[in-house]
Amino acid sequence: MSTAVHADVNRRDFLFIATGAVGAVGAALTAWPFISQMNPDASVLAMAAIEVDLAPIAEGQEITIKWRGNPVFIRHRTAKEIELAKSVKLEDLKDPTARSANVKDGDPATDENRVVGGKEGFLVMMGVCTHLGCIPIGNEGDYGVVEGNVKSGGWYCPCHGSQYDTAGRIRKGPAPENLFVPKYEYLSDTKIRIG
Amino acid sequence: MSGPSNYQPKSAFGKWMHERLPIMELVQGQALDFPTPKNLNYWWTFGGILAVMLVAQLVTGIVLAMHYTAHVDMAFDSVEHIMRDVNYGWLLRYLHSNGASMFFIAVYVHIFRGMYYGSYKAPREVLWMIGVLIYLVMMATAFMGYVLPWGQMSFWGAKVITNLFSAIPFVGESVTTWLWGGYSVDNPTLNRFFSLHYLLPFVLAGLVGLHIWALHVPGNNNPTGVNVRGSQDTVPFHPYYTMKDGFAIVVFMLLYSAFTFFGPNYLGDAINYLPANPLSTPSHIVPEWYYLPFYAILRAIPNKLIGVIAMFGSILILFALPWLDTSRVRSGTYRPIFKQIFWIFVVVCITLGFAGSGPPDNYFLSHEAAPPDEWHLTYKLVGQIAAVCYFAFFFPILPLLGLLESPKPLPPSISDDVLAKKKPLVPAE
Amino acid sequence: MKKMLKTFVVAGAGLMLLAGAASASEVQRDAKAISYSFEGPFGTFDKAQLQRGYKVYKEVCANCHSMHLVSFRNLSEHGGPGFSTEQVKALAATFTVKDGPGNDGEMFDRPGLPSDRFPSPFANEQAARNSNAGALPPDLSLITKFRPGWFGTINQLFNGIGGPQYVYSVLTGYEEPSEEIKKEQPEGKLYNPYFANGLFISMPPPLTDGQVTFDDGAPNKVDDMARDVSAFLAWTAEPKMEERKSLGFMVIIYLAILASLLYFVKKKIWADQH
């Protein structure tokens, strides 16, 4: 008699556990659409690449364009800025990695690794301070080229005082990383596609 | 809300919490151990189904609001953006639009159940009246939600319904202008409807809290209508009714899913996929199905003001139901004549629904126009007959019936009734 | 519960009988009841047909009708015509899209990109009316959802609203009017009994036999092209249909399993009370 009761109890427990498990799986799966809907939608993903014509940017000039809702700095650097950037020793850098989507993760932050295709004239990077996301101001700070009263190159973040050099590398202040270089490629000598 | 709980905190944390906020006692007393009549049938599961539907509408609605734009130039396209681009947007939107219909299916079953079993009678009048209030707020919420996609029927539905208020003597025009925030339904109207459509469901949730509170003071009615006499008549809510309701809820979800996935636009009006055009009225304006009976009553009366009064009156009369029914017997099961009249009333309500669905001057259930100035069975005439029947049910039929009808003998208690059904002396029919 | 089921069945049957004839007031003739591959709970789009339908839209309809809710990229998305992303890039580039303003402050034309929506053939509604003798060619993105081909509560429950059939019927439904109808015919309009806005339509018959040549060599009589383009417009109106049906199928199975489990749980729990 007692074994029969036990068997019945076991069957009962199994039924309850199975039902609970099936219900829990369903609840978890139901949650997914509600979470997933907050991810970038198809129209946002489709807009993720833009093309930029570099020809109108004169040496020493910089433009800012919007990509994925963020500013991208495109600077046509002067020879002096490039020279200054190249003269910096890696061990003097606060963040010695390139932080570029165009090279391997962890590659050194040499000036070559901060640009693409050896075209060292053009520096393309996110205009987003790696500290807390403000937009650094160009031609400011202690790490640009100084000729008389004129500063060229280098960036200074007004929010918390981070300073970047002429290759957009962090040199001073609270920001932990170099300005990020997005994935981009040259479609022609004067045309790039970002994204 | 003191419950029959003998909650004793088990853990040290439970004890600490209990001294500060005895919420677990509330849960145990009101949700888990709450003594519930043991004879509730499946018609009673619709309360739980409604709670689930309210949550479903809230959750899907909140995420839809993350993608929707309440502006006349962008509302329609933003809904299509949800349907086409947002991850699972089509699912969330179809769940929400079909959820509204499911919500109303459940609330109508719930209301008719309350009427059949006399759940509105003393001491549950306040419970019933809060329920009617919930129904009114639901209708307002659904109406404003329907305007948001800014399709043709959204716009013209909004225009027609808000124009109802222009029937109010003297101030009618000022009231509609105030409702619109302009001289027609336009961007200010859309924005305020969006705001209120987001707000009202939380008001609903609050009212539902009161509804449950008012339910838990006298406890549930039951199919016999006989009061609970002691613990032999009840079972704890959990697990008995959590599992029974749970089963019913999942079955209801099957119906909900069938519509959402395999006929998501069946319950809606096709013309609402055409963007709103304030310069062109669709050839035939109908509200969503759940308003049709009231729309039929509105159209049944040729006078604007009286039509509007009759329409609102047909809902407001429900507030008086506890006092219109003079019978001392609660459950329709023991009222042979009431039982028949109740089902006739259900048919009348459905007929009103159909009467509201077609063009007033067409033959009933046909798309052929009836010749004017003659006596024909048109949508309008059927609506008029059914409207008279609708009001007649509440007065004078219900008050008179309570005085004239001789009810069948009631079972002495719930458990006696359950036992009698368990061992029928004669084989079941 | 049996009694309750009985009530539902009786009520449902009653409703169905009542609803049998219920319908709206439209006077349009019921659309021709042709069938499509995407009908029914398991129906899917015929990719080759959608590709042909796209070609008909592009070469014929797009001259007057916009389709502003659809993007080129949609053409390569799952559950659609199944173009490759390379093909989409190429076909998007055959459209001219207005962009800008450029650095000179002027708008400029450029070839379409996959992320662009289909450009409208006219700058605005007034321009469209002006070019079409006062008539406005409707946007086609959703036409199969807002134009029912037939009416009736029960009819639509089992056969859908007949939106694609409506498009097909209008495209193939130009008829010579009877003498009586001819008297009412306004100048510049044609008799088409399937049309939703009255008996006469402003659009001249858009298709002629052999007008569009299909890459797959499929037949291209008016009837074939009308079928293909109406199927294509069914997809533009409901691009997530295949995803919806397949997910729905799994959800129904899941709920059925959970319901039966809960039924037995409920029975077990109530065993001591019955």
Side-chain angles (χ1 to χ4, degrees), chain B residues 9-70:
Chain B
K10 285 181 194 78
S11 65
F13 172 75
K15 198 158 174 279
W16 183 88
M17 191 67 186
H18 186 65
E19 284 158 5
R20 287 157 180 82
L21 181 69
I23 190 164
M24 289 315 294
E25 182 177 22
L26 185 82
V27 169
Q28 184 159 5
Q30 298 299 321
L32 301 179
D33 294 346
F34 192 79
T36 312
K38 54 161 67 162
N39 60 339
L40 300 187
N41 56 34
Y42 273 99
W43 296 110
W44 258 263
T45 61
F46 281 85
I49 288 170
L50 281 163
V52 169
M53 285 316 301
L54 176 61
V55 172
Q57 289 302 85
L58 271 167
V59 175
T60 52
I62 287 168
V63 298
L64 286 171
M66 294 180 188
H67 304 281
Y68 171 76
T69 310

Side-chain angles (χ1 to χ4, degrees), chain B residues 38 42-43 77 84-85 90 94 240-241 247 257 261 264 266 270 273-274 283 343 350 359 365 367 422, chain C residues 1 4 7 15 18 21 23-24 26 68 73 145-146 153 157 236 238 240 244 248 255 259 269-270 272 274:
Chain B
K38 54 161 67 162
Y42 273 99
W43 296 110
D77 284 8
R84 288 158 195 271
D85 293 334
W90 60 271
Y94 278 152
Y240 291 95
Y241 284 108
F247 168 62
S257 302
F261 292 104
Y266 178 67
Y273 279 106
L274 196 58
S283 55
W343 286 111
I350 293 169
L365 303 183
H367 37 156
K422 205 168 145 191
Chain C
M1 189 157 82
M4 185 165 164
T7 316
L15 275 176
L18 265 170
S23 83
E26 318 293 313
H68 83 287
R73 64 183 158 79
K145 263 162 118 176
F146 71 72
T153 314
L157 179 60
T236 63
E238 189 77 357
K240 305 288 181 186
R244 166 162 64 77
L255 286 174
I269 292 203
W270 280 83
D272 60 347
H274 283 307

Side-chain angles (χ1 to χ4, degrees), chain C residues 11-177:
Chain C
L15 275 176
M16 298 243 170
L17 277 177
L18 265 170
S23 83
S25 66
E26 318 293 313
V27 288
Q28 73 192 61
R29 192 187 290 173
D30 275 2
K32 303 170 194 174
I34 62 166
S35 50
Y36 292 93
S37 65
F38 48 84
E39 287 169 343
F42 303 106
T44 53
F45 290 116
D46 172 352
K47 287 190 172 63
Q49 184 177 42
L50 296 194
Q51 296 199 1
R52 294 196 299 272
Y54 162 75
K55 201 161 185 210
V56 177
Y57 170 76
K58 147 110 200 188
E59 291 184 15
V60 184
C61 317
N63 292 319
C64 298
H65 290 275
S66 61
M67 198 165 67
H68 83 287
L69 294 171
V70 184
S71 303
F72 296 116
R73 64 183 158 79
N74 297 141
L75 294 167
S76 62
E77 281 167 11
H78 176 74
F83 286 110
S84 70
T85 45
E86 292 311 310
Q87 281 174 305
V88 167
K89 231 178 245 179
L91 63 85
T94 64
F95 284 81
T96 306
V97 173
K98 231 179 200 29
D99 201 349
N103 293 336
D104 54 359
E106 299 293 324
M107 303 298 279
F108 56 89
D109 288 338
R110 62 164 173 78
L113 292 170
S115 57
D116 289 321
R117 291 180 171 203
F118 277 84
S120 300
F122 302 105
N124 49 52
E125 186 186 326
Q126 283 71 19
R129 285 189 189 276
N130 194 34
S131 306
N132 290 283
L136 177 68
D139 185 90
L140 295 184
S141 321
L142 285 167
I143 192 161
T144 56
K145 263 162 118 176
F146 71 72
R147 283 279 177 254
W150 45 65
F151 299 89
T153 314
I154 294 307
N155 193 10
Q156 292 194 345
L157 179 60
F158 291 109
N159 302 317
I161 67 164
Q165 285 88 346
Y166 169 83
V167 173
Y168 167 82
S169 301
V170 168
L171 289 175
T172 58
Y174 291 87
E175 285 177 14
E176 192 55 37

Side-chain angles (χ1 to χ4, degrees), chain A residues 45-87:
Chain A
L45 293 175
M47 294 296 285
I50 55 162
E51 290 174 13
V52 186
D53 187 7
L54 303 178
I57 311 169
E59 198 175 298
Q61 273 197 333
E62 179 179 324
I63 62 164
T64 305
I65 52 151
K66 199 169 113 179
W67 176 67
R68 289 183 177 173
N70 283 313
V72 174
F73 294 153
I74 303 176
R75 182 168 182 85
H76 192 167
R77 299 189 294 180
T78 62
K80 286 199 171 136
E81 287 170 45
I82 299 167
E83 196 186 318
L84 182 62
K86 286 189 162 172
S87 68

